[in-house]
């Protein structure tokens, strides 16, 4: 009987007396992508990179897209593979915002520790839902989010990132290494009018595109060197846009019209 009373008393006092070890400090959050005020197509890609740290461990990270009225759309956070007690957790994922209306949105990151301390940080981005045909080529191209994905937020593409980004364009099913000859031929026509590009690339004629063949083919196409206007051996987003634009300007009037770019942007630079 006495034991039972003691147990009850211990239980009561546990509820009433604050735990001196209780963690009262909320996690700290840093968002490195997207950059505030960047503009993206609603049907394009937005990379989200955020880190939360907490002296006692992070229980959960949450992600929302919030419109101007404060309405929140939750976004599934991909597990970063760390222990639930980890003192640092990360968000590193690509989303397609898919909102219905253009405007300023907040990307909100929340982190909660094991003592219900919650902190929140946000970054504002512009999302545009216009049909691609309503945009000029530069805006349409740069707001796809493709370049940020390709450059890993490094601002410019070096030769190996550049090649990898174009390999990813050609390798449409990222889960295999199978590149379709027909798609390569279409790409060849769309990027400079090259007939039967596949035959040129598959030099050992095994009907398979080895990466070395692809690299040699890219060197022969000479995009990187030609587009690198300032010759710093890096391709900036402007250089890429100008380079692609020059190839797609079918009537050579130095303008890329929606008719010239719309279908191709969808095919090569949007998911
Ligand atoms: Ca804490
Ligand atoms: Ca081959
Ligand atoms: Ca350059
Ligand atoms: Ca034109």
């Amino acid at each position: 009987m006495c034991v039972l009373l003691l147990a009850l008393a211990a239980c009561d006092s546990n509820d009433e007396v604050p735990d001196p070890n209780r963690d009262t400090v909320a996690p700290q959050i840093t968002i490195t992508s997207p950059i505030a005020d960047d503009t993206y197509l609603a049907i394009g890609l937005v990379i989200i990179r955020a880190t939360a740290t907490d002296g006692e461990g992070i229980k959960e990270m949450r992600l929302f897209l919030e419109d101007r009225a404060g309405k929140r759309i939750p976004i599934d956070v991909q597990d970063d593979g760390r222990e639930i007690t980890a003192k640092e957790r990360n968000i590193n994922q690509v989303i397609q915002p898919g909102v219905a209306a253009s405007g300023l949105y907040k990307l909100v990151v929340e982190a909660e520790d094991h003592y219900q301390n919650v902190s929140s940080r946000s970054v504002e981005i512009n999302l545009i839902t216009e049909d691609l045909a309503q945009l000029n080529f530069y805006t349409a191209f740069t707001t796809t989010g493709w370049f940020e994905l390709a450059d890993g937020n490094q601002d410019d593409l070096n030769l190996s990132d550049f090649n990898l980004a174009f390999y990813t364009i050609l390798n449409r099913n990222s889960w295999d290494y199978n590149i379709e000859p027909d798609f390569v031929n279409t790409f060849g026509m769309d990027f400079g009018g090259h007939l039967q590009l596949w035959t040129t690339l598959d030099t050992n004629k095994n009907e398979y595109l080895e990466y070395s063949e692809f690299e040699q083919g890219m060197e022969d196409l000479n995009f990187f060197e030609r587009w690198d206007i300032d010759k710093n051996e890096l391709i900036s987003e402007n250089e890429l846009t100008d380079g692609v634009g020059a190839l797609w300007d079918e009537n050579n009037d130095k303008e890329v019209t929606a008719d010239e770019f719309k279908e191709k942007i969808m095919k090569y630079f949007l998911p």
Side-chain angles (χ1 to χ4, degrees), residues 24-35:
T24 55
V25 183
Q28 289 206 318
I29 300 172
T30 321
I31 303 175
T32 52
S33 180
I35 308 290

Side-chain angles (χ1 to χ4, degrees):
M1 195 61 189
C2 186
V3 170
L4 178 64
L5 280 172
L6 272 174
L8 281 172
C11 186
D12 276 345
S13 75
N14 235 6
D15 277 353
E16 284 157 16
V17 179
D19 176 359
N21 297 320
R22 191 192 152 89
D23 173 13
T24 55
V25 183
Q28 289 206 318
I29 300 172
T30 321
I31 303 175
T32 52
S33 180
I35 308 290
D37 300 327
D38 270 3
T39 300
Y40 298 93
L41 290 174
I43 55 167
L45 303 169
V46 179
I47 302 177
I48 304 167
R49 290 202 179 90
T51 299
T53 54
D54 188 278
E56 301 298 322
I58 316 276
K59 185 176 137 205
E60 189 181 30
M61 288 184 81
R62 296 182 284 264
L63 196 53
F64 306 91
L65 205 54
E66 185 180 300
D67 69 15
R68 293 202 103 158
K71 188 175 165 237
R72 284 185 166 191
I73 307 163
I75 300 166
D76 283 340
V77 173
Q78 285 165 13
D79 185 2
D80 75 349
R82 304 220 180 161
E83 298 281 322
I84 195 154
T85 50
K87 293 180 179 178
E88 180 185 305
R89 291 175 72 83
N90 295 298
I91 291 176
N92 191 350
Q93 66 190 66
V94 181
I95 65 159
Q96 222 179 337
V99 295
S102 292
L104 205 59
Y105 286 80
K106 262 187 201 167
L107 196 84
V108 182
V109 177
E110 278 186 2
E112 181 175 343
D113 67 16
H114 295 279
Y115 292 84
Q116 284 99 48
N117 301 303
V118 177
S119 52
S120 173
R121 210 168 246 287
S122 65
V123 59
E124 281 189 331
I125 52 172
N126 287 295
L127 295 176
I128 48 180
T129 57
E130 273 83 355
D131 187 288
L132 281 179
Q134 306 299 313
L135 304 172
N136 67 38
F137 176 63
Y138 182 82
T139 307
F141 193 90
T142 57
T143 53
T144 59
W146 182 88
F147 193 84
E148 286 85 350
L149 189 63
D151 78 352
N153 266 28
Q154 300 301 303
D155 291 337
D156 288 308
L157 296 171
N158 62 27
L159 179 61
S160 92
D161 289 343
F162 180 84
N163 280 344
L164 200 57
F166 274 83
Y167 186 80
T168 308
I169 287 177
L170 291 180
N171 181 20
R172 291 195 291 176
N173 302 327
S174 56
W175 58 87
D176 65 24
Y177 294 98
N178 185 38
I179 291 182
E180 298 155 33
D182 285 352
F183 191 67
V184 170
N185 287 334
T186 307
F187 172 89
M189 288 307 291
D190 286 343
F191 286 78
H194 303 276
L195 285 166
Q196 297 299 317
L197 184 62
W198 174 267
T199 312
T200 315
L201 295 188
D202 179 23
T203 46
N204 66 1
K205 306 295 167 211
N206 65 348
E207 318 239 322
Y208 178 83
L209 187 63
E210 284 86 351
Y211 197 74
S212 56
E213 289 175 330
F214 166 78
E215 280 184 312
Q216 184 57 54
M218 287 294 283
E219 198 177 323
D220 295 343
L221 288 169
N222 203 26
F223 294 154
F224 190 90
E225 205 187 322
R226 196 152 29 111
W227 297 352
D228 180 19
I229 297 298
D230 65 2
K231 301 293 166 207
N232 67 346
E233 302 194 355
L234 296 167
I235 299 291
S236 67
E237 190 165 23
N238 276 329
E239 288 172 336
L240 187 83
T241 313
D242 289 348
V244 172
L247 294 180
W248 289 357
D249 174 18
E250 286 163 14
N251 63 355
N252 284 313
D253 65 351
K254 309 272 181 213
E255 299 255 323
V256 198
T257 62
D259 278 349
E260 289 168 325
F261 75 68
K262 194 181 158 195
E263 175 230 330
K264 296 192 191 90
I265 282 192
M266 298 287 289
K267 197 175 351 172
Y268 300 111
F269 296 101
L270 281 168

